[in-house]
Amino acid sequence: MSDNDSRKNLRMPEEDEVFAVVTDMLGANRVKVRCMDGVERTARIPGKMQKRIWIREDDVVLVEPWDWQDEKADITWRYEKQDADQLREEGHIQE
């Protein structure tokens, strides 16, 4: 079995989304994220994800920056640990 056989097709960012790594938990359904476009943002965990998908520090997420406030964003997706490792190996995420 080669490495290509174990590769999963992962959800990639759409035109208005960007990869991010959670750096700090702020409380009140908010986290601090470091985005791959070089901006540190405060991201909001939407209600449909609360208590269904648990987000912790060092998780890789997709965020959608706000149009009217670039320093804020909404989390749209959280990657599992093995999926995040695959993204790092493929060079999509730089630490």
Side-chain angles (χ1 to χ4, degrees):
M1 184 177 217
S2 69
D3 287 338
N4 291 339
D5 293 338
S6 64
R7 185 189 182 287
K8 286 173 55 177
N9 284 329
L10 300 176
R11 183 180 188 283
M12 298 307 277
E14 295 172 5
E15 61 194 37
D16 53 351
E17 294 177 329
V18 66
F19 288 116
V21 177
V22 177
T23 58
D24 196 19
M25 304 299 291
L26 301 176
N29 300 319
R30 289 180 166 38
V31 295
K32 186 70 83 172
V33 295
R34 187 180 64 252
C35 299
M36 293 302 113
D37 60 1
V39 180
E40 184 130 336
R41 293 183 170 95
T42 301
R44 186 173 60 164
I45 302 170
K48 67 181 180 179
M49 292 178 80
Q50 294 172 16
K51 296 194 170 89
R52 291 178 185 85
I53 298 172
W54 293 98
I55 295 177
R56 296 174 297 278
E57 286 186 24
D58 297 326
D59 278 352
V60 175
V61 295
L62 276 180
V63 297
E64 183 177 345
W66 291 1
D67 294 335
W68 60 95
Q69 267 184 306
D70 193 48
E71 68 272 4
K72 295 190 179 178
D74 287 326
I75 294 177
T76 57
W77 188 263
R78 181 183 69 90
Y79 290 97
E80 299 291 329
K81 183 182 179 334
Q82 56 269 31
D83 297 342
D85 292 340
Q86 177 181 329
L87 289 170
R88 286 185 178 99
E89 288 172 11
E90 293 174 359
H92 297 291
I93 299 170
Q94 293 81 29
E95 293 298 323

